[in-house]
Amino acid sequence: MAKAFKYGLKGITGYLEPAERELLRSLIDDVISMLEPADSTSEDPLTALIGLDMDVQEPSDRALRRLLPNVMKNDGAASLEFRQLTERSLRENKIGALRAAALGLDTNELVLSPADARHWSQALNDVRLVLAERLDIRDDADAEHVHTMQDWSQAEDVESYLALVYNFTTWLQESLVQAMLQSMEPRG
Amino acid sequence: MTLSVALGPDTQESTQTGTVTSTDALTAPDIPWNLVIWNDPVNLMSYVSYVFQSYFGYSEPKANKLMMEVHKKGRSIVAHGSKEQVEQHAVAMHGFGLWATVEKATGGGKDGGSGKGKGKRG
C-alpha cells in the first residue's frame, strides 16, 4: 500500500507500490494525450514560435473545458480571443508538470524537491479534474457519494473502479499538499 | 482549519501612493479588474489555500479565509489590478487547476481580498 507523503529531513517523501505507480502513470498519460494539440505537424512555424494560435476553439469536451476554462464568465468572444493568446502555453505548462511527475514514478521511494512537489500537486489535480468529469461529479453531494466508495472489493463496474481510483488520487494529493504546507511553515 | 479572521483592514494602497506616475499613461484609464475564483467540488480546500499562499504570497489566515469564502459563497475575489495583471493571474490559476475568471470591478464590492497579487514568491 502507498504511504502518505511526509515532510521531514530529506524533504517531502512518499512511497508507492509498483501497481500504484503504473496506475498513476497511465492516468497521467491519458491527461497528457488530452492536452496535446491535435495536429501539431501541419502547423505554421511562426504560430509555434510566438505561441499564438488563431485556430483554437473552446474545447467541446467537458473535462478539457475544465482544464482550460474560459477567462470570462459571460463573454465568449473575449474569452476566445484570450484563448488564442494563452491556451497553447497553458497546455504546455500542464503537460510539463504532468511529464515531470511521470518521470518521478520510476522508483517506489519518492523524494520530492520543492519543484517536484509543485509539479506533482498540479499533475494530481489535473488527473482528479478529469476523473471527476468522467464520474459526473457536479456538486459536493456527488463528491460525497463518490467518496463513500473505499473498498476495492466493491469495484464491480467501470464507474465504481473510477471512483476508487479518484479516491486514491484524492488521498494522495491531500497528503502531498499537507506535507507542502508544512514545508512552507517558518521553522524554529 | 483556520476558518476566518476579522475582516482585514487591508490598508488599501496606503503604502503605494508615493510611486504613482500619471504621465506615462500608455495603459489607458486604469479601470480595476477582479480575479474571481469559483467553487468546484473537486479541488481540495488545502490545495486552494496552498495556491493562494504560494502564488500570491498571502498569509495562511488570509489564504484560508479566501478559500472558505470560495467554498461557502461559491466565489471569491482574490486579487485585483489592471486587466493585464488579473489575466496573468487567471492563467496561473488555470495552470494550478483552479477555476478562475476575470471581471471588471463594479465598485463598492468589498468582498474578498484586497490583494494586489504580487506574483510568484518563488
Side-chain angles (χ1 to χ4, degrees):
Chain A
M1 271 296 283
K3 290 181 196 155
F5 282 102
K6 272 196 207 123
Y7 175 61
L9 288 175
K10 284 194 286 183
I12 293 173
T13 55
Y15 175 87
L16 292 170
E17 298 284 349
E20 294 162 339
R21 292 193 277 120
E22 269 321 295
L23 171 65
L24 284 175
R25 195 189 302 277
S26 69
L27 292 169
I28 287 173
D29 284 348
D30 283 348
V31 181
I32 290 175
S33 61
M34 287 173 65
L35 286 167
E36 272 171 341
D39 53 346
S40 50
T41 46
S42 64
E43 95 186 349
D44 183 346
L46 182 64
T47 300
L49 190 68
I50 59 177
L52 182 70
D53 189 350
M54 301 310 285
D55 296 331
V56 76
Q57 293 296 328
E58 187 179 329
S60 51
D61 179 67
R62 260 205 331 227
L64 201 50
R65 216 157 51 217
R66 181 58 189 82
L67 294 177
L68 310 166
N70 278 343
V71 78
M72 287 187 204
K73 189 91 171 165
N74 298 313
D75 191 337
S79 290
L80 183 61
E81 195 180 322
F82 189 70
R83 200 175 272 283
Q84 290 166 344
L85 294 166
T86 59
E87 190 188 285
R88 192 191 172 85
S89 68
L90 178 59
R91 282 176 187 254
E92 284 167 0
N93 166 13
K94 283 179 177 290
I95 290 170
L98 289 156
R99 289 226 170 97
L103 274 177
L105 283 170
D106 288 337
T107 55
N108 291 359
E109 305 276 351
L110 303 164
V111 182
L112 305 184
S113 71
D116 294 335
R118 198 170 60 245
H119 291 141
W120 266 77
S121 68
Q122 283 175 265
L124 286 172
N125 207 71
D126 282 349
V127 162
R128 291 181 57 247
L129 287 172
V130 171
L131 287 171
E133 285 299 338
R134 304 291 182 241
L135 281 163
D136 233 8
I137 297 178
R138 292 274 160 269
D139 53 33
D140 291 339
D142 295 340
E144 200 52 46
H145 174 68
V146 166
H147 192 67
T148 58
M149 291 285 298
Q150 294 288 352
D151 182 356
W152 283 89
S153 66
Q154 296 176 315
E156 50 207 12
D157 53 29
V158 173
E159 203 192 330
S160 54
Y161 175 76
L162 273 183
L164 288 159
V165 169
Y166 177 79
N167 289 334
F168 169 67
T169 54
T170 300
W171 170 81
L172 196 62
Q173 192 195 10
E174 178 66 40
S175 85
L176 174 61
V177 173
Q178 291 301 339
M180 290 165 78
L181 286 168
Q182 257 184 41
S183 75
M184 288 165 64
E185 280 167 15
R187 282 195 259 185
Chain B
M1 206 170 259
T2 314
L3 219 145
S4 69
V5 290
L7 277 169
D10 282 327
T11 51
Q12 304 256 28
E13 324 270 288
S14 58
T15 57
Q16 301 271 342
T17 40
T19 60
V20 172
T21 51
S22 56
T23 41
D24 58 353
L26 277 174
T27 47
D30 199 8
I31 303 162
W33 283 68
N34 295 332
L35 176 71
V36 181
I37 303 293
W38 298 84
N39 190 34
D40 73 66
V42 180
N43 283 328
L44 298 170
M45 293 161 92
S46 56
Y47 182 67
V48 174
S49 176
Y50 155 76
V51 171
F52 291 169
Q53 290 178 54
S54 69
Y55 177 80
F56 294 108
Y58 290 161
S59 68
E60 187 184 345
K62 176 164 181 172
N64 285 342
K65 175 174 167 265
L66 293 173
M67 177 275 290
M68 286 308 297
E69 193 168 281
V70 173
H71 184 66
K72 293 203 164 138
K73 294 190 185 162
R75 54 168 266 163
S76 174
I77 294 166
V78 303
H80 36 248
S82 69
K83 184 161 183 271
E84 289 72 21
Q85 282 170 331
V86 293
E87 280 177 346
Q88 194 189 336
H89 294 327
V91 173
M93 292 300 108
H94 295 168
F96 282 107
L98 269 56
W99 180 16
T101 59
V102 302
E103 65 182 24
K104 245 180 232 168
T106 46
K110 279 218 174 105
D111 56 333
S114 70
K116 293 170 40 114
K118 292 177 217 90
K120 275 190 184 43
R121 199 179 67 171

